[in-house]
């Protein structure tokens, strides 16, 4: 894989999690370490819910994006999140770097289960599992409600 960020899907890709040019997005980048895919993110005051806490939905969003990139990196496919189960273990603090690590637990030709965890200062903040469904071009276009962008075609099942 060349760059492990949203540029892999073309210049105009709109992903909130990894789109390099998304005006409000996380703009996540990833790297491989052993059997894991890793990312880092610095939450800011703009990501808060209650004062001093990153919004829980955004924590799940970050973990979901990381889990999706394990499927992209390890299987060379993209998938749609079908199910997730997670636990927030402590508040995620703005201004403190967050590290995410994820790996494939099991996969078939149509699904992948991924384990993801997030930590701050070495302490667990989130742990969860995500199940992705990998579809062919027709299935992807049905899910998107539009023609699949050219740069995405090589990631279809």
């Amino acid at each position: 894989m060349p760059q492990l960020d949203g540029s892999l899907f073309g210049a105009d890709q709109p992903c909130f999690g990894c789109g390099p040019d998304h005006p409000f997005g996380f703009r996540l980048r990833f790297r491989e370490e052993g059997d894991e895919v890793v990312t880092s993110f610095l939450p800011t005051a703009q990501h808060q819910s209650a004062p001093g806490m990153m919004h829980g939905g955004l924590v799940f969003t970050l973990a979901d994006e990381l889990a999706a990139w394990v499927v992209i990196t390890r299987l060379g496919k993209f998938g749609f999140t079908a199910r997730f189960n997670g636990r927030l273990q402590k508040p995620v603090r703005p201004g403190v770097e967050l590290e995410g690590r994820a790996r494939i637990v099991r996969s078939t030709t149509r699904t992948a289960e991924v384990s993801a965890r997030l930590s701050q200062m070495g302490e667990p903040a989130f742990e969860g599992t995500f199940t992705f469904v990998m579809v062919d071009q027709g299935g992807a276009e049905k899910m998107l409600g539009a023609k699949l962008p050219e740069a995405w075609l090589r990631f279809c099942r």
Side-chain angles (χ1 to χ4, degrees):
M1 292 258 163
Q3 279 185 268
L4 293 178
D5 67 23
S7 64
L8 208 59
F9 290 98
D12 296 329
Q13 75 94 354
C15 182
F16 179 84
C18 70
D21 299 317
H22 194 292
F24 309 108
F26 290 153
R27 299 180 187 180
L28 295 174
R29 299 182 74 128
F30 307 89
R31 66 186 183 280
E32 296 178 85
E33 289 185 10
D35 68 343
E36 295 182 317
V37 172
V38 181
T39 193
S40 298
F41 180 71
L42 183 63
T44 68
Q46 295 175 330
H47 300 114
Q48 290 182 103
S49 55
M53 293 175 58
M54 184 174 177
H55 191 287
L58 294 177
V59 174
F60 269 87
T61 300
L62 196 149
D64 179 59
E65 187 68 15
L66 170 60
W69 273 85
V70 173
V71 175
I72 294 164
T73 303
R74 296 292 183 214
L75 303 177
K77 307 291 179 209
F78 72 86
F80 293 97
T81 307
R83 180 178 33 238
F84 64 90
N85 182 15
R87 180 173 171 253
L88 296 162
Q89 296 172 299
K90 71 172 217 151
V92 173
R93 304 293 182 201
V96 179
E97 187 172 78
L98 187 62
E99 180 185 69
R101 293 181 169 274
R103 64 180 179 77
I104 299 244
V105 174
R106 84 178 112 271
S107 66
T108 69
T109 56
R110 295 180 184 256
T111 64
E113 183 179 329
V114 176
S115 170
R117 64 190 188 284
L118 305 175
S119 60
Q120 275 187 321
M121 297 176 28
E123 293 186 27
F126 169 89
E127 193 170 286
T129 57
F130 296 80
T131 301
F132 292 87
V133 175
M134 296 170 288
V135 295
D136 60 14
Q137 181 179 348
E141 290 176 346
K142 184 176 180 181
M143 291 286 289
L144 294 174
K147 187 166 177 56
L148 196 62
E150 184 72 28
W152 292 48
L153 294 176
R154 68 182 172 141
F155 295 101
C156 288
R157 172 176 58 79

